[in-house]
Amino acid sequence: MAGNLIAGASDSGLAFETQALLEPSIPSEPWRLRTYNAKERWYAKPLVYTPPGQKQLVFTASNQNWIRTVDAVTGAPMNARQVQPPFLQSELGCGDMPDYIGIVGTPVIDPNTNTAYFFAKGYQDNAASGGVAKGIYKYAVKHYLKTAGLTDTLRFYAVNILDLTDRPGFPVLIDGHNADNDPARYFIGGTILQRPSVTLIDGIVYGAFGGHCDLFNYTGMVTGVSTTAGVGVTSMFAMESSPGAPPVDLNIMDQKGGKAGIWMSGMAPATDGGRLFVVTGNGQGHENKDTPASGRSPLSTLDEVVANLAVSKGKLTLQDYFEPYEYIGMDAGDRDLGSGGVALLDPSVFKGTNGVSRIAVTIGKNGKAYIMNADNLGGFRLGPGATDNILQTIIAPNTVFGGAGSYPLEGGYIYFTPVGTATLAYKLGLDQNGSPLFSKVGQSTDSSGGGVGVGVPTVTTYKGQPGTGIVWVTDVDGGLKAYKAVPDSSGNLVKMNIPPTGGLNKFQRPAFGDGRLYVTDNNNRLICMGSPVSIPLNCTSPVDFGGVTIGSAKTVTVNCTALIPITNINGLTIQDATFQANNASLPAKSLAQGATFSFPVIWNLTQASIHDAIGASFGSVSPGVKTSSLVITTTNGVAQYSNQLPITLQGSEVSSAPFLSLSPPEVDFGGLVVGSPGAATGLDSAFIIANIGSSPLVILGYAYTNTDSDDADGGASYTNTTQVKDGTKISEACTSSDLPAVGSVVAPGQSLTVPINFNAGEVGNYQSVFNIWTSGGNKYVLLTGSATTAPIAKLEVETGEGGWDGSGVMDFGTVQAGTTVTRRLRICNIGGSALLITKSKPPIDAELRAENPTSDLHEGQSIPQGECAYAPIDIAAAPEAPNNPFHDVSDVWILNTDDLTFGVHDVQIKATIISRQLGPAYANGTARYSYLGCYSDINPRQLQNSFDLGTSNENGICQTRCQGLGYRFAGTEYHTQCWCGNNPPSSVKYTPCCAMWRRFVLVDFLSLFYVLSILNVSVDHGLYSLHLILRNVDNNHNVFSFNPVLDSFEFDPRSHIENIDHHNKYLLPDDQLVNVVCIPNYQPEHVDNSHVFLHVFKGIAYLNPPAGKAVDTYAFRYANDSMTIGICLDWCKSKRTTYAGIEYHRECYCGNSIANDAVANVAGCTSTCMGNTMEICGGSNRMNVYQAISSASSSTTSTAKSSSTSTSSATSSTSSSFSISFLSSSITTSKPSSVTNTSSSPSTTTSKPSSTTIISSTTSSNTTSTISSTISPSTINISSTSSLSRTTTTSRSSATAASSSSSRSTSKPSSTTSATFSTTSKPSSTFATTTRSLTTSYATPNPSTTASPTKGFYSLGCYAEPPSPTQKPMTQLLSSNMMSPDVCISAMSAANKPGTTYAVFGLEYGSECWAATGLVQNQTRIVGDQACTLQCAGATGVSCGGRGLYNYYVATSFSGSLSVTGQPVRTSGTVRASVTAR
């Protein structure tokens, strides 16, 4: 395609690739490439481009406004960029495209400038949100235009395809420009969608725009933008304009504007240079009403039209149009003509002899294919009987999205795929007047999926050779399909074997490169298909035999050259037995590179017969183009080359006698609705009479029968054709206006297309066999059709009692927060023929949504007579803190059908969601206290009075106490404490801590409730803590409020909370409400080698003395609302102090000694750091303390300076041991006998527990204790008993040389699982990190990890994610709400490719799958009943990690060593039974 535009379809709209170098037999699938971001999708089609002098690349553009290039051969990423944040689907109320809307229309690449052009939707000022009014489109110049309260929403981009940078002067803002043909109408990017591919004509890029589910006040438009910097928008043409369109309404939310949107299922506006063809959908003006009009006359309401727009100097004007005679009924039934685009057919083939030189085809929701003269589209109602004045109307069996494809070889074919039916093939013919007429000649034996989204059929050839045509169809359900372009003699499109792709994105078409094709699937992958390796031989292909007369033979020589050294030519195989070659003719020796050889191939038709005959060697054949394949198999002397070479064989079988071809074998008219507007004209179709022999053919006679013409008893009763008013009657209900007369002669190679019309006045099924007798044989065609009454739609909603109501309102009443209630919507067909759903826009809100929005009551769904279709709708009320205000949810499900009396229905769906009400209540059950939030309760206390209510205390009891005492606010803390007061809390103390609101709150935090009836508080103010789930720990308040004298109390919680620092706000998305729990990660955010924990395990921390701090005589204090461990350590390091202590989430203390009366305590350090909730920053009156240790560099020794005034040196190995009991507060250490010590410390040895894990230690300047083991079932034992005991044996080097130690250990062998940890010591640093290896046995958490092998993998336990996202040690493969170990293993298998084989994987956040090719070193092992407690989304009882934690699995066949860091054990918390999304 060098020198041509690289676009979403060819520049003429052919959907035909003459340059695609694809053999008819397709090789395998070289690679699949996943998107990089969650919920990223490709609606724009991939483009393949070869920059001059560079390698071929694939360019993609996504819904998240990411553009990328990858190597076309290997899939390796080249460049990537997000041009701007995308528009949020949640701000539209239209679910056609979930999550994000960015680049949707396929870009175009200009090879003359290496520039890609596209439109991108976003928000003004590159914001991440902002509502419909602030949505924009850009085209590619950073030229910002402010318009009447609206700013950038849609931009036009021009980027350098080589590095994806903006071209100078781009992007261009599109918003705010006025329509040339109606200046009162202007472009508002937030309300519209640029779905079609773009088209480039003479330096102007044209984009067409429609709407989002027909919502909002919009007008369909075509916009032209110059590719020259500084010019910008050149044309803006509105498809609805004055005077016929409705007046302009400035309210963008009103569903006015005239509409007539252009979306065309993603097809590009078609062009042949000087004109642009687009197709529109529903509109409101209807200027033509029922009055016939020429397409050349002005029309201001271009809804349901094919429009021919003249292009002149960048401006657009209406030149011609076609509007179906039933367009008003199509509007009423949402049967968009514009659900498909226009295909301009190749004028060298698709033309007539009566002056028709260019044919245009479109097909839409109404299931009619309109064949038009592109130079005279047909206007409105100018045909016979005020019908359509076009070349032909073809009735499809169902709605069509995506339009028609074409094949200009072998006589000329067009193809389209109706929803839920086969792909259909129609062949070009001419009637006796020379007018083009298409006849159905074949269809696929399989059907498309029942959902909307089948793409435009696309046809490729191998080097433009006849017989090599392939029809490609993309299916949202069935994936990519390929068929031979010409149907076989039975009328079948022969399906080809290609690798399965899985379901593809909506309205796709493959992109083609050098021997490869590319397509995107609905699992967010770019798929390459084609030759994965180079070929070893260059042989003649295709081998063309030309014409061979049946009964003769022909020989052609194939010449081959070796491209590499070849060890042996093993042989050849041929698919079709009439083609013959001998293995003995191949070389019997090895071939050097460049060696040549030849061999003959014979096309032997000497034993073939045009009829089945006794004694014939082969079955019957028929004249025409035939193809086959010959495959040579080799043994190569060089790796990475294919050992098979396919060669195409082709030729034409020729009959010396006349030969009748009658196609198709069956003409099915479908159903005619008696009494409908179309019943008067009937249904049209055609069949083709052709002479494919070499002698003239004479037509001898016609007749029809209603019985089987092949009846063995000869019982068929024939009726001769007769002349009637409208032509010749050829069956009971069919006539032909142009049947050739008996005695007519059909010349060799000539074909005649016979038009037929089905029209039945009575309800019933009709079937006839039409026979034709000729001098070239006898054939028949089956004619079928039915006549029925109209469909009648009945819409009903399910009631709470299980009945059905026809009101169109689904009222769920009140729904308790945290619960899900389901009811159904149904449409029943009580009419006489199939009912078609023509419009369906289901609700997909967070708490109100259709259960299956893409499959239930979907557009294009057919409901048989007497049946109903159902759709469940859920109110999935999110969990809320108690005493939250009730809130209403509501939405509509927009529906329409082809029942013209039905009309658009907006099914109203609503519910009131109520939270649990605690404490004193009003007569209507509403609690007097309303939840306010979680507040830090230190320095000073937020409420003034405290009451100890004992262990039975809960929020309701506390509120009752505070009400009785006349207090406005109530809160709970410390499990037993109830706090009351009348002064509002300080807004600066508001803290987005996570906690369980069910009873109490976190240490030092107060959960506040205030008196509800002060004002009606809306939960829509954004910061209201409806979205917080509170944790239940000490020293924090759940605060409620109440005031008996309501009139005198003025407190606005909205303005109060709006003062909160947004940096500390942590509002969770709705899909994360159920399972939010703070799980602190004890791994510091950044702990360099100059800091070390004195007491790192949970439960071992310093309790501050009665007066003062554990860090005695602290010289420096620093408090920061962004506090992390690293910040405090850096601060104390800068002050050159010995100790650093952190407490109360945010306070850092630096000093040079530990207070004598400070007590080491097993519990209390549970407060998360305010700057990193994955770290612990002390607690209430409790401090995590760190010591700075200086040391000298040595390869085998370490020198430490104690905190006392004396100094001693020690020479020791890097191995020592201590044992910790996690159930008590004692610490016992003992040094092993291997330690050589110059101090007075005794040497002791701690016995090693039995374990199959081998521990080896090395001593160097950078010492690491490493586990070396072969991973196998014998060394990975993850099963364990349910014992709660934990036994830990630890070896570590002494941090202080001059010290004495004692020994005490606790051991209970009831738990058998072991894991080994190690850390690294770098003595050259000023501070030294304690090195320790830890073997821990523990009870299995619940849900349990997988204990037995899972598809060849074993679990190693729970590990912590690195604190920085950039340190993520594995690659994310999948995020799925069906996640399980099996799913992740399958994802790994699919992601494997040459050079990358995944051997380990991790499950995280309940739904994420991460993988690596080898063991990830220096990991942090987490154990205890708080370790990896998130249940897999798709596997009950199986753990899939946690927040910042993952379950680590390794292949049983993998061998390697693992270095692991031990960290604090989690010993408290609850196990969540369902998944928390990230």
Side-chain angles (χ1 to χ4, degrees):
M1 299 179 68
N4 295 327
L5 297 176
I6 312 301
S10 66
D11 55 2
S12 63
L14 295 178
F16 170 67
E17 298 277 352
T18 60
Q19 302 290 330
L21 303 180
L22 287 170
E23 288 277 6
S25 58
I26 302 302
S28 62
E29 174 191 315
W31 49 263
R32 294 189 181 202
L33 179 67
R34 287 193 61 82
T35 54
Y36 297 87
N37 303 314
K39 300 181 179 179
E40 185 173 13
R41 293 177 175 86
W42 287 301
Y43 297 110
K45 305 167 188 70
L47 300 178
V48 181
Y49 177 57
T50 305
Q54 301 190 41
K55 59 185 177 182
Q56 194 170 79
L57 57 83
V58 181
F59 174 77
T60 63
S62 79
N63 66 328
Q64 293 184 352
N65 280 332
W66 277 93
I67 55 175
R68 294 185 175 89
T69 53
V70 301
D71 188 296
V73 176
T74 66
M78 297 172 66
N79 291 293
R81 173 192 171 202
Q82 187 180 38
V83 297
Q84 65 177 345
F87 196 87
L88 300 179
Q89 174 271 329
S90 58
E91 299 194 329
L92 291 172
C94 172
D96 281 351
M97 294 182 180
D99 305 314
Y100 303 101
I101 299 171
I103 304 168
V104 178
T106 303
V108 63
I109 299 174
D110 185 354
N112 296 315
T113 60
N114 286 334
T115 303
Y117 299 98
F118 54 88
F119 293 89
K121 183 162 183 168
Y123 294 95
Q124 65 179 39
D125 302 323
N126 286 330
S129 62
V132 174
K134 294 186 178 182
I136 61 166
Y137 264 103
K138 277 187 182 176
Y139 161 90
V141 179
K142 289 186 178 175
H143 167 79
Y144 295 91
L145 175 69
K146 308 294 182 181
T147 307
L150 299 172
T151 52
D152 353 338
T153 259
L154 190 146
R155 298 178 177 92
F156 174 79
Y157 284 84
V159 299
N160 185 336
I161 196 67
L162 303 181
D163 59 13
L164 303 185
T165 57
D166 289 335
R167 290 297 189 189
F170 292 86
V172 172
L173 178 67
I174 307 302
D175 286 64
H177 285 83
N178 298 80
D180 298 329
N181 57 329
D182 190 347
R185 300 175 193 276
Y186 55 92
F187 192 100
I188 304 175
T191 65
I192 58 177
L193 174 68
Q194 194 268 314
R195 186 63 179 96
S197 305
V198 299
T199 299
L200 174 58
I201 307 173
D202 295 332
I204 307 296
V205 175
Y206 295 94
F209 295 83
H212 296 282
C213 298
D214 279 341
L215 301 175
F216 311 114
N217 179 353
Y218 81 89
T219 301
M221 291 191 178
V222 181
T223 300
V225 188
S226 176
T227 59
T228 302
V231 176
V233 175
T234 63
S235 181
M236 187 80 69
F237 186 89
M239 305 309 290
E240 296 274 339
S241 59
S242 299
V248 173
D249 188 334
L250 298 180
N251 184 348
I252 65 172
M253 304 307 291
D254 287 346
Q255 292 194 32
K256 298 180 181 179
K259 304 191 184 293
I262 307 169
W263 64 287
M264 302 191 303
S265 295
M267 286 185 71
T271 183
D272 53 6
R275 51 188 179 176
L276 199 70
F277 292 83
V278 296
V279 193
T280 62
N282 300 335
Q284 299 170 327
H286 301 168
E287 181 180 1
N288 276 335
K289 301 192 185 319
D290 289 325
T291 304
S294 168
R296 303 288 175 171
S297 62
L299 181 64
S300 61
T301 58
L302 296 170
D303 52 286
E304 309 286 15
V305 304
V306 177
N308 171 0
L309 303 177
V311 178
S312 177
K313 298 181 180 180
K315 293 294 183 181
L316 299 173
T317 56
L318 180 64
Q319 180 171 278
D320 190 14
Y321 72 88
F322 161 68
E323 187 170 45
Y325 71 88
E326 73 267 44
Y327 82 99
I328 295 178
M330 292 168 64
D331 268 354
D334 279 295
R335 310 200 74 181
D336 289 0
L337 180 64
S339 67
V342 173
L344 290 179
L345 306 185
D346 186 340
S348 65
V349 175
F350 296 97
K351 59 185 178 179
T353 58
N354 62 341
V356 177
S357 60
R358 192 76 191 249
I359 298 175
V361 180
T362 192
I363 184 168
K365 277 189 186 181
N366 65 348
K368 289 185 177 182
Y370 297 96
I371 315 298
M372 300 164 287
N373 182 347
D375 300 322
N376 181 14
L377 290 177
F380 175 65
R381 281 184 173 265
L382 296 180
T387 57
D388 298 329
N389 182 32
I390 59 176
L391 299 177
Q392 184 182 1
T393 300
I394 298 175
I395 307 299
N398 204 346
T399 290
V400 176
F401 295 84
S406 66
Y407 178 48
L409 304 181
E410 303 184 63
Y413 294 81
I414 60 172
Y415 312 85
F416 51 85
T417 309
V419 172
T421 68
T423 295
L424 308 178
Y426 287 78
K427 187 174 183 179
L428 175 67
L430 299 175
D431 65 16
Q432 293 191 89
N433 298 317
S435 180
L437 199 60
F438 287 90
S439 300
K440 180 183 172 185
V441 293
Q443 64 181 53
S444 62
T445 56
D446 60 347
S447 297
S448 69
V452 172
V454 177
V456 180
T458 304
V459 185
T460 62
T461 63
Y462 182 66
K463 299 181 180 180
Q465 297 291 331
T468 65
I470 302 173
V471 180
W472 304 90
V473 177
T474 61
D475 192 336
V476 290
D477 298 318
L480 183 64
K481 302 177 182 180
Y483 308 94
K484 291 186 176 180
V486 177
D488 64 15
S489 58
S490 298
N492 296 321
L493 287 173
V494 179
K495 191 172 185 180
M496 305 175 67
N497 292 324
I498 60 173
T501 61
L504 302 178
N505 283 326
K506 293 195 299 184
F507 311 128
Q508 290 294 301
R509 67 182 292 268
F512 300 91
D514 293 337
R516 296 175 178 84
L517 66 81
Y518 307 86
V519 72
T520 60
D521 71 4
N522 50 30
N523 286 318
N524 306 339
R525 292 175 296 189
L526 173 64
I527 300 172
C528 169
M529 192 174 294
S531 177
V533 291
S534 300
I535 57 176
L537 297 167
N538 181 18
C539 295
T540 307
S541 183
V543 178
D544 192 355
F545 288 83
V548 178
T549 302
I550 297 172
S552 67
K554 186 174 183 179
T555 301
V556 174
T557 299
V558 178
N559 301 309
C560 297
T561 302
L563 301 177
I564 58 170
I566 296 177
T567 304
N568 189 50
I569 303 291
N570 300 324
L572 57 79
T573 58
I574 302 180
Q575 183 182 33
D576 187 335
T578 60
F579 292 95
Q580 300 166 355
N582 196 329
N583 283 325
S585 64
L586 299 175
K589 60 181 181 178
S590 61
L591 299 175
Q593 182 176 353
T596 62
F597 66 93
S598 301
F599 63 95
V601 180
I602 303 171
W603 193 10
N604 186 356
L605 300 178
T606 58
Q607 300 301 312
S609 171
I610 61 174
H611 303 290
D612 290 322
I614 298 174
S617 300
F618 312 106
S620 63
V621 296
S622 60
V625 175
K626 298 296 185 293
T627 62
S628 185
S629 62
L630 179 153
V631 178
I632 299 177
T633 304
T634 64
T635 299
N636 301 325
V638 179
Q640 303 297 319
Y641 280 75
S642 173
N643 60 5
Q644 290 189 331
L645 175 70
I647 299 174
T648 299
L649 309 176
Q650 66 183 37
S652 296
E653 294 174 340
V654 178
S655 170
S656 59
F659 191 96
L660 172 66
S661 171
L662 185 62
S663 60
E666 178 181 355
V667 176
D668 184 1
F669 291 91
L672 178 72
V673 177
V674 177
S676 68
T681 56
L683 302 176
D684 293 321
S685 189
F687 60 83
I688 298 175
I689 300 172
N691 178 11
I692 57 178
S694 299
S695 300
L697 177 145
V698 180
I699 297 176
L700 303 177
Y702 305 106
Y704 64 89
T705 179
N706 295 331
T707 58
D708 188 356
S709 64
D710 290 332
D711 193 328
D713 296 329
S717 176
Y718 289 98
T719 302
N720 290 327
T721 57
T722 56
Q723 291 300 119
V724 293
K725 176 182 177 182
D726 297 323
T728 305
K729 183 176 182 180
I730 62 173
S731 77
E732 184 179 353
C734 294
T735 57
S736 173
S737 60
D738 195 13
L739 183 69
V742 173
S744 298
V745 177
V746 183
Q750 183 184 6
S751 64
L752 299 175
T753 300
V754 180
I756 48 179
N757 177 269
F758 170 76
N759 200 335
E762 298 181 0
V763 173
N765 294 319
Y766 295 82
Q767 176 175 306
S768 295
V769 178
F770 178 71
N771 291 261
I772 178 171
W773 288 267
T774 73
S775 60
N778 309 323
K779 295 287 180 73
Y780 66 86
V781 58
L782 180 65
L783 307 176
T784 61
S786 66
T788 63
T789 57
I792 300 175
K794 183 178 182 181
L795 184 146
E796 295 177 310
V797 299
E798 191 173 21
T799 65
E801 297 76 24
W804 294 94
D805 175 21
S807 66
V809 177
M810 183 179 287
D811 189 348
F812 284 81
T814 59
V815 177
Q816 185 72 42
T819 65
T820 297
V821 179
T822 303
R823 293 187 190 172
R824 293 177 298 168
L825 173 67
R826 74 179 183 185
I827 296 178
C828 297
N829 179 7
I830 59 175
S833 55
L835 177 73
L836 187 70
I837 297 177
T838 57
K839 187 171 190 174
S840 180
K841 309 301 177 185
I844 53 171
D845 308 313
E847 294 184 296
L848 188 165
R849 62 181 298 117
E851 275 192 7
N852 307 295
T854 60
S855 58
D856 292 339
L857 301 183
H858 63 80
E859 289 183 4
Q861 181 173 348
S862 179
I863 305 174
Q865 176 188 5
E867 296 186 13
C868 299
Y870 296 82
I873 300 171
D874 295 336
I875 301 295
E880 297 179 0
N883 294 18
N884 260 304
F886 302 165
H887 68 279
D888 295 326
V889 293
S890 63
D891 205 337
V892 297
W893 190 320
I894 305 172
L895 288 161
N896 203 349
T897 71
D898 63 349
D899 173 4
L900 299 183
T901 64
F902 187 75
V904 177
H905 279 59
D906 291 348
V907 181
Q908 302 291 324
I909 308 164
K910 58 185 179 179
T912 299
I913 297 176
I914 61 174
S915 64
R916 189 162 55 102
Q917 303 296 294
L918 303 175
Y922 292 102
N924 64 357
T926 303
R928 290 176 176 266
Y929 287 85
S930 184
Y931 181 63
L932 183 60
C934 182
Y935 289 78
S936 176
D937 196 35
I938 54 173
N939 298 329
R941 293 285 188 181
Q942 297 303 297
L943 299 181
Q944 295 73 46
N945 298 284
S946 174
F947 306 92
D948 192 328
L949 301 184
T951 58
S952 62
N953 183 38
E954 52 93 13
N955 287 319
I957 294 174
C958 178
Q959 292 168 37
T960 301
R961 170 64 66 89
C962 293
Q963 179 200 18
L965 298 174
Y967 288 107
R968 300 162 178 165
F969 294 91
T972 53
E973 186 178 9
Y974 279 115
H975 301 274
T976 62
Q977 292 185 5
C978 172
W979 289 79
C980 307
N982 283 320
N983 297 325
S986 171
S987 62
V988 298
K989 295 293 185 177
Y990 173 83
T991 304
C993 65
C994 59
M996 292 182 297
W997 43 259
R998 302 185 187 283
R999 294 189 67 184
F1000 313 100
V1001 184
L1002 181 67
V1003 173
D1004 293 334
F1005 289 91
L1006 177 76
S1007 203
L1008 261 142
F1009 290 72
Y1010 66 99
V1011 65
L1012 177 66
S1013 57
I1014 300 167
L1015 47 80
N1016 292 322
V1017 182
S1018 169
V1019 298
D1020 294 329
H1021 51 72
L1023 293 177
Y1024 197 73
S1025 46
L1026 167 69
H1027 289 168
L1028 290 176
I1029 300 178
L1030 307 178
R1031 189 167 59 165
N1032 177 9
V1033 194
D1034 295 339
N1035 244 8
N1036 301 283
H1037 284 244
N1038 289 311
V1039 180
F1040 297 72
S1041 67
F1042 168 79
N1043 180 16
V1045 188
L1046 301 180
D1047 293 339
S1048 64
F1049 181 46
E1050 296 181 359
F1051 171 68
D1052 186 344
R1054 290 169 293 191
S1055 61
H1056 171 76
I1057 294 180
E1058 284 166 0
N1059 292 324
I1060 294 169
D1061 182 0
H1062 284 243
H1063 176 74
N1064 292 328
K1065 182 186 70 170
Y1066 184 54
L1067 298 182
L1068 301 173
D1070 290 343
D1071 60 354
Q1072 296 183 9
L1073 287 175
V1074 177
N1075 308 298
V1076 179
V1077 174
C1078 275
I1079 304 176
N1081 181 355
Y1082 293 84
Q1083 174 72 30
E1085 181 179 34
H1086 68 282
V1087 178
D1088 60 29
N1089 293 321
S1090 53
H1091 301 101
V1092 62
F1093 277 111
L1094 275 185
H1095 304 293
V1096 297
F1097 297 98
K1098 183 174 181 179
I1100 304 175
Y1102 276 106
L1103 174 66
N1104 288 337
K1109 300 293 182 183
V1111 177
D1112 195 22
T1113 60
Y1114 58 89
F1116 304 97
R1117 176 183 180 275
Y1118 175 66
N1120 188 325
D1121 285 345
S1122 299
M1123 182 60 67
T1124 65
I1125 294 172
I1127 289 174
C1128 181
L1129 298 185
D1130 288 343
W1131 172 258
C1132 294
K1133 181 178 178 181
S1134 71
K1135 304 305 178 185
R1136 307 186 65 81
T1137 63
T1138 304
Y1139 295 94
I1142 311 177
E1143 66 174 357
Y1144 285 107
H1145 308 278
R1146 62 188 296 275
E1147 297 177 6
C1148 174
Y1149 297 87
C1150 308
N1152 290 309
S1153 63
I1154 300 293
N1156 292 330
D1157 50 350
V1159 179
N1161 194 285
V1162 294
C1165 279
T1166 56
S1167 297
T1168 56
C1169 301
M1170 293 189 72
N1172 185 350
T1173 58
M1174 301 299 287
E1175 296 179 354
I1176 295 298
C1177 285
S1180 175
N1181 257 359
R1182 287 159 176 79
M1183 183 180 290
N1184 284 109
V1185 181
Y1186 302 78
Q1187 180 182 10
I1189 303 172
S1190 61
S1191 60
S1193 176
S1194 172
S1195 62
T1196 59
T1197 64
S1198 62
T1199 304
K1201 184 176 181 179
S1202 71
S1203 60
S1204 64
T1205 57
S1206 63
T1207 304
S1208 63
S1209 62
T1211 302
S1212 67
S1213 74
T1214 58
S1215 177
S1216 63
S1217 176
F1218 69 94
S1219 177
I1220 299 177
S1221 169
F1222 289 90
L1223 303 181
S1224 69
S1225 61
S1226 63
I1227 301 177
T1228 305
T1229 63
S1230 62
K1231 295 185 176 64
S1233 58
S1234 62
V1235 177
T1236 304
N1237 202 328
T1238 60
S1239 71
S1240 58
S1241 300
S1243 297
T1244 60
T1245 303
T1246 300
S1247 62
K1248 180 189 284 188
S1250 61
S1251 173
T1252 58
T1253 304
I1254 301 171
I1255 304 175
S1256 63
S1257 300
T1258 59
T1259 306
S1260 65
S1261 60
N1262 188 358
T1263 305
T1264 303
S1265 178
T1266 307
I1267 305 166
S1268 298
S1269 63
T1270 297
I1271 298 175
S1272 66
S1274 63
T1275 58
I1276 306 175
N1277 180 4
I1278 63 171
S1279 63
S1280 64
T1281 67
S1282 60
S1283 169
L1284 296 177
S1285 66
R1286 296 166 174 80
T1287 302
T1288 304
T1289 303
T1290 307
S1291 303
R1292 70 175 185 180
S1293 61
S1294 176
T1296 306
S1299 64
S1300 61
S1301 52
S1302 60
S1303 176
R1304 184 174 72 186
S1305 64
T1306 302
S1307 177
K1308 294 184 179 180
S1310 58
S1311 186
T1312 61
T1313 303
S1314 65
T1316 306
F1317 307 83
S1318 70
T1319 60
T1320 302
S1321 174
K1322 294 182 179 178
S1324 60
S1325 302
T1326 305
F1327 289 68
T1329 300
T1330 299
T1331 301
R1332 61 192 183 280
S1333 65
L1334 171 65
T1335 301
T1336 305
S1337 297
Y1338 60 98
T1340 303
N1342 183 27
S1344 65
T1345 55
T1346 305
S1348 57
T1350 300
K1351 291 188 175 180
F1353 287 79
Y1354 278 84
S1355 171
L1356 293 183
C1358 182
Y1359 290 79
E1361 180 187 40
S1364 171
T1366 61
Q1367 300 176 18
K1368 200 93 171 181
M1370 295 190 285
T1371 300
Q1372 185 176 5
L1373 301 181
L1374 182 66
S1375 178
S1376 170
N1377 60 8
M1378 298 297 291
M1379 184 55 64
S1380 69
D1382 286 357
V1383 170
C1384 188
I1385 291 170
S1386 298
M1388 265 200 315
S1389 177
N1392 285 335
K1393 58 185 179 182
T1396 303
T1397 301
Y1398 292 106
V1400 298
F1401 69 94
L1403 299 171
E1404 189 179 27
Y1405 288 97
S1407 61
E1408 293 183 2
C1409 168
W1410 298 77
T1413 57
L1415 293 169
V1416 180
Q1417 299 301 316
N1418 299 317
Q1419 295 196 81
T1420 301
R1421 177 74 177 269
I1422 304 297
V1423 298
D1425 62 358
Q1426 191 79 324
C1428 290
T1429 56
L1430 283 182
Q1431 177 174 274
C1432 293
T1436 303
V1438 177
S1439 176
C1440 277
R1443 183 174 291 276
L1445 305 173
Y1446 58 82
N1447 285 99
Y1448 195 40
Y1449 288 74
V1450 65
T1452 56
S1453 59
F1454 186 85
S1455 298
S1457 61
L1458 177 63
S1459 179
V1460 183
T1461 302
Q1463 285 296 315
V1465 179
R1466 303 172 182 233
T1467 59
S1468 65
T1470 59
V1471 175
R1472 274 102 54 227
S1474 55
V1475 176
T1476 297
R1478 195 170 197 173

